[in-house]
DNA sequence: TTTAATTAAAAAATCGATTTAGCAATATAA
DNA sequence: TTATATTGCTAAATCGATTTTTTAATTAAA
């Protein structure tokens, strides 16, 4: 690492004044501390000339603030999270924060390690997509009034801010959309994990089916498998349950893998099988036939989360009443759900 | 931020010894500094009990090492970079490094700011996808022997390590593939930017065309436009140059936007238009017809880059001879290029 | 027996900032 | 004229580590 040329001390000795004075001036406390204007000007000019920048570690050490946020997502290479990361980034830099990211792969142990890492580092705020059962590891943060916001899912027993979409209603609407379009044997495909967003979606689906006197048909794909295995599993599901006439995919990657499975089985969408999937992407939009999607408002999610977090940081009051912020999805009807 | 419960000083006073001794023991210098084994054990036991973790800012301040890497990509929401970020992340954490990321949007000024940010922060290493003309801003880093690696593209006048694929050859092969499959009026679609990887791809394409006595047909899409505008621009190109019988898309997002444009114009692939695109993704694989892709070895790119960077960091010798590391792409023939 | 070397640990300096407490010098009030 | 405020600035403490320099107590060598 390149050594810093100028420290506050160097400036002070160069100008034959004390570093206290320099520090006050640099921190905009000149008025308050009654530093004379000529001296202020002189210091600022000099600082500008030598291109001084404060050592952020010394600052952090002294102030306890790091200007770093910790972003913990399930997988940064998942387009949904990648876009969130991108949007959060913009606003964070605008507000003077840097971002350290990590991907949990929905692994509790990994998540715990990352939490510890963030904590050791002393991040000023946490944006977290929690794995199931992470409550007890996050609780200490909540108890110590850390600035924290959960993303995409929540943990019921924790009093925190969280941002997510109205998953149950969205799934309900998606299911209703299929029913209205004439499908009856509609299956909901989810993953074998207790992530709250997935259980909510399942609940919404089941409610819609029940409300229309239809039998819910839930199928689970194991979580930890790789893509190829997931496709195989989906093919198996379709083979063993030929009565299914439509599918509601509970997530992005399930929809993608599902399309691949359907294609490999030479089934026709929407003739053989109606399809609606959570999340939207290039594939769903451009595919022939195009795929009906329940699109999450990614920008809005990101902005809500980061703005809320920065609010938390700036209001060091404890009057923050924690609550969930629910955003709405948009059902984008496309060819795959038109019988 | 929660205050750290135990500092090295607390441990020292708790055990009635000096913090020097504690520090030596914690840093594995007990032998070297002749600390007695009983004391070593006692300290380690105590440290374990109270769950002490060092303040990383104090450490960084003192040692000048930050254990943070700066990752600067064009756009973290671009699947190509998102996957790279994911792969780099794994290895970085394994080696004890954290990652701060940022997206340049191929904007030189933004890039400069991010470089400064990384520098101020004192990152231990840089992984950078440079915008054109960023040489003079990166040069100081190179001169000061910073640990640095360029990704996806390089800057000719700089002596640095860089990792990229053999773009010219890949484009040559992609073009040859189309020619061999009977296409003649093959257009190369690129963006209006001097990114080295794009100019290399163009060069390879032109060479292939010339070698087969065909006239190169290069079309540029303006860079800064949003997706919808790009699609419109691509439609305009196809409309004004109806003689084109195949397209080689120079990048991921051009291919995606291109497919959308082609679809909107109701052109048939591959009958009306053969298609090959750089990079691979779900859409290209699953689309009907599937799209022939020039796939970059993303894992290999990421691993090479991060491993090389960590090597740089660990070998504080200046014997590092900088050089380019070129990896090979894989042409994945699919339906879109079979006439 | 005195000197030198070794062992074991501690004191103090340092990294680069922020912040509290305080000190002269001047101005104002009593 | 003396007491009190105000002005303008600085010394020193502090954050939590690492590292150089010292010290004190033994042990070995002369």
């Amino acid at each position: 690492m390149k050594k810093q040329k100028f420290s506050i001390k160097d400036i002070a000795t160069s100008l034959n004044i004390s570093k206290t004075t320099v520090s006050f001036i640099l921190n905009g406390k000149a008025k308050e501390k009654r530093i004379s204007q000529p001296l202020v000007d002189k210091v600022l000019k000099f600082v500008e000339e030598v291109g001084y920048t404060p050592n952020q570690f010394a600052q952090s050490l002294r102030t306890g603030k790091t200007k770093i946020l910790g972003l913990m997502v399930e997988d940064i290479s998942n387009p949904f999270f990648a876009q969130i990361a991108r949007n959060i980034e913009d606003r964070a830099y605008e507000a003077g924060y840097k971002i350290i990211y990590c991907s949990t792969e929905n692994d509790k142990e990994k998540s715990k390690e990352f939490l510890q890492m963030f904590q050791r580092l002393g991040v000023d705020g946490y944006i977290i997509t929690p794995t199931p059962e992470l409550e007890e590891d996050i609780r200490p943060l909540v108890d110590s009034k850390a600035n924290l916001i959960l993303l995409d899912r929540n943990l019921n027993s924790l009093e925190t801010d969280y941002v997510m979409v109205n998953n149950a209603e969205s799934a309900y609407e998606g299911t209703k959309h299929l029913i209205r379009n004439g499908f009856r044997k509609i299956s909901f495909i989810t993953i074998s994990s207790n992530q709250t967003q997935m259980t909510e979606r399942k609940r919404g689906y089941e409610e819609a089916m029940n409300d229309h006197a239809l039998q819910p048909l839930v199928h689970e794909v194991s979580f930890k498998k790789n893509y190829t295995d997931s496709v195989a599993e989906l093919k198996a599901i379709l083979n063993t349950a030929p009565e299914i006439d439509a599918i509601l995919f509970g997530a992005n990657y399930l929809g993608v893998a599902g399309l691949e499975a359907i294609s490999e089985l030479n089934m026709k969408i929407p003739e053989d099988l109606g399809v609606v999937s959570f999340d939207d992407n290039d594939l769903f939009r451009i595919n022939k036939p195009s795929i009906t999607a329940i699109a999450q408002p990614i920008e809005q999610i990101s902005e809500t989360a980061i703005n809320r977090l920065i609010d938390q940081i700036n209001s060091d009051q404890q009057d923050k009443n924690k609550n969930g912020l629910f955003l709405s999805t948009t059902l984008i009807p496309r060819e795959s759900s038109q019988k």
Side-chain angles (χ1 to χ4, degrees), chain A:
Chain A
M1 198 184 92
K2 201 181 170 185
K3 218 198 147 221
Q4 231 159 339
K5 279 177 295 288
F6 266 81
S7 73
I8 217 168
K9 190 178 162 192
D10 296 326
I11 295 173
T13 51
S14 296
L15 294 177
N16 246 315
I17 57 177
S18 83
K19 52 201 188 106
T20 308
T21 308
V22 178
S23 176
F24 283 154
I25 292 174
L26 290 177
N27 287 295
K29 300 190 177 166
K31 280 271 156 8
E32 180 190 338
K33 298 292 178 181
R34 298 176 301 250
I35 313 286
S36 68
Q37 197 56 47
L39 187 52
V40 171
D41 294 342
K42 188 169 148 194
V43 169
L44 290 179
K45 181 156 168 280
F46 188 79
V47 162
E48 171 76 16
E49 273 173 23
V50 301
Y52 162 83
T53 53
N55 178 308
Q56 307 204 6
F57 291 93
Q59 274 182 328
S60 293
L61 178 59
R62 179 64 232 229
T63 63
K65 306 265 169 232
T66 61
K67 287 287 175 180
I68 295 178
L69 304 180
L71 173 63
M72 191 163 117
V73 296
E74 183 172 312
D75 180 359
I76 193 79
S77 74
N78 175 326
F80 174 71
F81 291 114
Q83 283 179 61
I84 284 183
R86 180 71 183 81
N87 286 312
I88 285 180
E89 180 197 333
D90 282 344
R91 173 85 180 93
Y93 282 122
E94 203 182 289
Y97 289 91
K98 293 164 283 292
I99 301 179
I100 288 199
Y101 75 91
C102 58
S103 306
T104 67
E105 287 181 316
N106 206 40
D107 179 313
K108 190 185 163 194
E109 291 310 314
K110 273 189 108 174
S111 301
K112 285 170 73 166
E113 274 178 40
F114 285 132
L115 278 179
Q116 281 177 27
M117 179 197 76
F118 283 165
Q119 220 177 335
R120 273 199 293 269
L121 187 61
V123 297
D124 286 345
Y126 299 76
I127 301 182
I128 294 179
T129 59
T131 59
E133 299 163 31
L134 203 62
E135 283 96 340
E136 297 320 312
D137 301 285
I138 294 185
R139 191 180 303 283
L141 296 179
V142 178
D143 290 344
S144 66
K145 314 282 184 197
N147 301 303
L148 172 82
I149 192 150
L150 301 184
L151 198 72
D152 188 45
R153 40 196 105 155
N154 71 336
L155 295 171
N156 286 316
S157 71
L158 286 183
E159 280 267 309
T160 63
D161 281 335
Y162 55 92
V163 179
M164 50 195 300
V165 294
N166 50 357
N167 285 297
E169 291 168 50
S170 303
Y172 191 102
E173 288 305 315
T175 309
K176 206 171 79 180
H177 170 82
L178 281 167
I179 296 171
R180 198 183 290 133
N181 285 5
F183 298 97
R184 288 295 171 270
K185 300 280 191 185
I186 303 165
S187 168
F188 177 68
I189 295 197
T190 181
I191 51 165
S192 58
S193 165
N194 290 324
Q195 299 170 17
T196 60
Q197 86 283 21
M198 297 309 279
T199 53
E200 281 297 285
R201 289 173 193 178
K202 184 173 144 205
R203 190 168 65 78
Y205 156 80
E206 287 171 339
E207 229 166 82
M209 294 296 276
N210 290 331
D211 285 356
H212 293 80
L214 295 172
Q215 183 65 36
L217 301 162
V218 174
H219 290 277
E220 284 187 359
V221 172
S222 44
F223 183 77
K224 270 297 194 182
K225 298 238 173 146
N226 65 33
Y227 182 79
T228 318
D229 290 341
S230 299
V231 172
E233 229 174 300
L234 285 160
K235 282 166 76 174
I237 292 172
L238 289 170
N239 277 328
T240 55
E243 73 277 12
I244 296 173
D245 70 356
I247 295 182
L248 173 60
F249 288 106
N252 201 354
Y253 49 90
L254 289 172
V256 172
L259 287 193
E260 185 133 21
I262 293 166
S263 162
E264 287 182 15
L265 292 174
N266 287 315
M267 295 176 79
K268 292 266 163 293
I269 300 174
E271 296 82 358
D272 301 338
L273 207 57
V275 170
V276 171
S277 179
F278 256 86
D279 302 321
D280 196 17
N281 58 40
D282 291 335
L283 173 61
F284 295 165
R285 197 180 62 251
I286 299 178
N287 192 65
K288 293 289 166 71
S290 55
I291 308 297
T292 299
I294 298 171
Q296 299 198 49
I298 294 188
E299 278 192 33
Q300 219 185 325
I301 292 174
S302 321
E303 273 171 33
T304 307
I306 182 78
N307 285 338
R308 181 80 188 180
L309 184 63
I310 290 177
D311 280 354
Q312 279 189 30
I313 294 175
N314 292 337
S315 77
D316 42 13
Q317 293 314 315
Q318 305 311 335
D319 63 345
K320 349 169 180 171
N321 52 341
K322 305 298 185 177
N323 52 20
L325 303 165
F326 289 93
L327 303 175
S328 298
T329 56
T330 310
L331 181 88
I332 305 176
R334 297 209 181 96
E335 297 162 355
S336 68
S337 55
Q338 300 301 122
K339 206 163 199 170

